[in-house]
Amino acid sequence: LVASASSSSLYMAAGFKTVEPLEYYRRFLKENCRPDGRELGEFRPTTVNIGSVTTADGSSLVKLGSTTILCGIKAEFAVPPADAPNKGYIVPNVDLPPLCSSRFRPGPPGEEAQVASQFIADVIENSQIVLKEDLCIANGKLAWVLYCDIMCLDYDGNILDACTCALLGALKNVKLPSVKINEETGLAEVNVKEKNPLKIRKNPVATSFAIFDNTLLLVDPAAEEETLATGTITIVMDEDDRLCVLRKPGGSSMSAEKLQTCISRAIARHKEVRKLLDEVLESIQPK
C-alpha cells in the first residue's frame, strides 16, 4: 500500500512537471533548491580528461553533469596573414550534432552552434589565452594554425562553460614539434622528436547563470532551466580576476548588485576549475 501511494505521488509530480513546468520549478525555488537537488549557486559535478584523443595534437573531454564536450586540436602550417606577418591562427569551431540532442538537426551549423563558435573566438581573442605571435615560425613565411574542433557529445545545458573548459584543457595538452626554415632551400625542417608545449598566457574560465522570474540567479543551468529562464548571462574571468567576456543575449535586465554577485561567483568558480585542471595535468605527467 505504501509503495503504491509513493509511486502514484511520483506520477502526479511527473504529470504536474509536464503540464506546468514553470510552476513546478517555482515550488522548488521557493525552498532555495532545484528539482535535481542542487542549491541555486551549486554547479553540477565537473570531470576533466586530458589527452585521451591520441590522433589529435591536444585534446580534452569535459563533463558538466550530463553535458559532455570533446575538444580536439590539430596543428598545421600556413602562410601568416599579409596584414599581420608575425602572427599565426587559432580557428575554433563548435559542433552540435543531432547525436547530442534531439533539438539539433543534421545539416549546416544551426544558430546555437554559430553563437557558441563566436563566443569561443571572443574568449580566445579577449583573454589572450595564446598570443598569435607565439604561433609564428618565420616572419611572413610560416606560422602554425591551430584548428580547435569542439564537439558536443551529450547536451544538457550550459555548453559555453563546458566548451571553454575543454578548450583550455586541450590547449594545455598541445605540444608542437620544433620547426626551422632551411636558409638554402627555404623549406621547413620539422623535428618531431623535439616537442614543446604551447605557451598558455591566461586561463579563462566561463561561469553561466540563468535568471528566473527576473529575480533569482541559478548557476550552471541545465537544458530545462535554460528553456524556462527569463534570461541568461555568461561571465569569463581569468586568474587576475580580469573580466574577459560578458555575454548577455537580451532577456531580463540586471541590477549592478546582481551583476557583482555573478562576478564574485565567477571568480570563485575560476579557482575551482583551475585547481581541477592542474590536478588532472599533474596526474598525466610522465613520472
Side-chain angles (χ1 to χ4, degrees):
L1 195 67
V2 175
S4 65
S6 65
S7 62
S8 69
S9 65
L10 280 171
Y11 280 123
M12 283 177 67
F16 180 47
K17 183 182 179 184
T18 306
V19 178
E20 290 283 353
L22 199 55
E23 193 54 43
Y24 176 81
Y25 260 85
R26 282 181 182 136
R27 295 196 179 182
F28 279 92
L29 298 177
K30 274 181 192 171
E31 306 299 322
N32 283 325
C33 73
R34 291 144 88 167
D36 61 7
R38 287 187 289 159
E39 294 178 6
L40 305 193
E42 188 180 344
F43 268 82
R44 291 170 290 179
T46 309
T47 59
V48 180
N49 187 312
I50 290 176
S52 49
V53 182
T54 53
T55 52
D57 293 305
S59 66
S60 175
L61 179 75
V62 171
K63 286 196 77 171
L64 191 53
S66 295
T67 295
T68 309
I69 300 286
L70 176 68
C71 177
I73 296 177
K74 265 300 199 189
E76 293 183 6
F77 293 136
V79 176
D83 58 343
N86 64 331
K87 292 183 179 181
Y89 308 81
I90 306 177
V91 184
N93 181 59
V94 177
D95 187 17
L96 301 175
L99 159 84
C100 72
S101 171
S102 57
R103 66 191 282 166
F104 304 117
R105 295 279 171 266
E111 185 184 352
E112 198 166 344
Q114 291 179 46
V115 166
S117 293
Q118 186 55 53
F119 173 83
I120 293 298
D122 291 342
V123 169
I124 292 167
E125 191 64 38
N126 296 346
S127 70
Q128 298 288 287
I129 180 171
V130 173
L131 290 182
K132 289 177 182 172
E133 288 85 348
D134 291 342
L135 299 175
C136 183
I137 298 166
N139 205 318
K141 293 180 181 177
L142 198 64
W144 287 109
V145 187
L146 299 182
Y147 291 102
C148 307
D149 290 314
I150 302 169
M151 179 180 278
C152 182
L153 304 179
D154 193 350
Y155 182 97
D156 188 21
N158 197 10
I159 59 162
L160 298 184
D161 288 17
C163 286
T164 307
C165 184
L167 174 76
L168 180 57
L171 285 170
K172 283 174 174 281
N173 183 230
V174 171
K175 285 189 176 176
L176 299 176
S178 172
V179 182
K180 289 177 183 172
I181 300 288
N182 187 313
E183 291 181 9
E184 290 177 11
T185 62
L187 298 174
E189 294 179 350
V190 182
N191 183 359
V192 289
K193 290 180 180 176
E194 187 187 323
K195 290 195 173 186
N196 299 304
L198 266 183
K199 196 175 282 185
I200 306 297
R201 303 281 183 167
K202 293 292 175 185
N203 294 264
V205 172
T207 307
S208 293
F209 303 82
I211 307 163
F212 226 87
D213 284 340
N214 299 315
T215 52
L216 289 171
L217 287 169
L218 277 63
V219 76
D220 179 27
E224 191 173 37
E225 292 169 340
E226 286 181 342
T227 307
L228 298 172
T230 50
T232 59
I233 181 169
T234 301
I235 292 169
V236 181
M237 306 293 291
D238 68 13
E239 60 268 42
D240 300 324
D241 297 347
R242 186 175 64 96
L243 181 64
C244 303
V245 178
L246 192 153
R247 180 180 181 273
K248 188 181 181 304
S252 306
S253 60
M254 280 190 89
S255 65
E257 186 185 356
K258 279 222 168 2
L259 182 58
Q260 191 54 55
T261 302
C262 292
I263 290 172
S264 299
R265 180 67 183 95
I267 290 170
R269 176 62 177 172
H270 186 285
K271 292 180 173 63
E272 295 165 14
V273 173
R274 182 82 189 274
K275 183 169 179 275
L276 175 63
L277 283 170
D278 287 347
E279 285 172 356
V280 174
L281 285 162
E282 195 178 331
S283 71
I284 62 170
Q285 287 296 330
K287 295 289 185 280

